[in-house]
Amino acid sequence: MLRWSGARTTIARKMEAIIETVLILVALLLVAIVVFAATRPNKFRLQRSIVIAAPAETIYPLIADFRKWALWSPWDNLDPEMKRTYEGAPIGLGAIYTYEGNKTVGAGRMEIVDAQPGRKIVAKLHFIKPFEAQNIAEFTLVQQSNGTEVTWAMHGPLTFMGRLMGIVLSMERLVGGQFEQGLANLKAVAEGREGNA
């Protein structure tokens, strides 16, 4: 009986030592992740480009008029019940677009703060749901020999929580594909082939 009791005590001690080691390793791993996240950049920039076989004058109104985003935006058709409000200028500088949709779309507000016809559109983005963020979107149009190169960029600050989440899911992975899809849609609309997009 004493031998069995002593064996149980030895096993219990070994189990405690294993559990303690595992807990220390988990704690060290968590500290390493937090330290790594803290060293990551506190800003991000995401950018995609495409060449569209159309003049900048054809493309510019598709971007500068928020009412036309439904033709090409990758987010505009994710919720058929999405509520849209347009305020301010009808196109370009001062145009404001507010939206509220399902959990995929979320809610937010965009305002064009710089508009250079045929060349550039800059919009201030205020995401409200599913997470709060304030970023800048920029569209630049540059004439090329075979059409117009359109670059869609978004940049802004990254909070510590954003940097921590970015270890697993970066902005590139989160919205890079949507930027590519949006530009492909914009190309199809501007080139007059939206039915084939």
Side-chain angles (χ1 to χ4, degrees), residues 81-119:
E81 304 295 318
M82 185 164 69
K83 296 174 190 158
R84 300 169 175 88
T85 306
Y86 304 97
E87 303 171 70
I91 184 171
L93 185 64
I96 298 168
Y97 172 45
T98 306
Y99 64 92
E100 186 173 355
N102 60 24
K103 64 180 182 179
T104 305
V105 174
R109 180 181 190 271
M110 294 189 280
E111 178 180 358
I112 296 179
V113 293
D114 186 10
Q116 299 169 29
R119 294 178 34 211

Side-chain angles (χ1 to χ4, degrees), residues 101-181:
N102 60 24
K103 64 180 182 179
T104 305
V105 174
R109 180 181 190 271
M110 294 189 280
E111 178 180 358
I112 296 179
V113 293
D114 186 10
Q116 299 169 29
R119 294 178 34 211
K120 187 176 187 179
I121 298 115
V122 179
K124 201 162 67 172
L125 310 174
H126 180 194
F127 299 106
I128 300 165
K129 293 178 187 175
F131 55 86
E132 179 104 21
Q134 296 203 26
N135 298 315
I136 298 293
E138 295 176 357
F139 293 86
T140 54
L141 292 80
V142 178
Q143 200 65 49
Q144 304 285 340
S145 59
N146 56 343
T148 305
E149 182 182 45
V150 179
T151 300
W152 184 2
M154 183 170 70
H155 59 88
L158 270 179
T159 63
F160 176 74
M161 191 55 74
R163 287 180 276 167
L164 195 58
M165 288 173 49
I167 294 172
V168 179
L169 189 62
S170 69
M171 289 298 286
E172 282 286 332
R173 288 179 57 197
L174 193 61
V175 286
Q178 280 93 345
F179 272 39
E180 291 165 12
Q181 183 60 59

Side-chain angles (χ1 to χ4, degrees), residues 61-74:
L62 295 171
I63 303 166
D65 182 350
F66 285 132
R67 289 170 180 83
K68 295 192 176 164
W69 279 45
L71 297 172
W72 61 269
S73 169

Side-chain angles (χ1 to χ4, degrees), residues 33-49:
I33 289 170
V34 167
V35 169
F36 178 68
T39 63
R40 293 172 59 85
N42 61 358
K43 295 178 183 175
F44 78 93
R45 181 175 179 87
L46 171 72
Q47 179 175 309
R48 295 290 190 275
S49 298

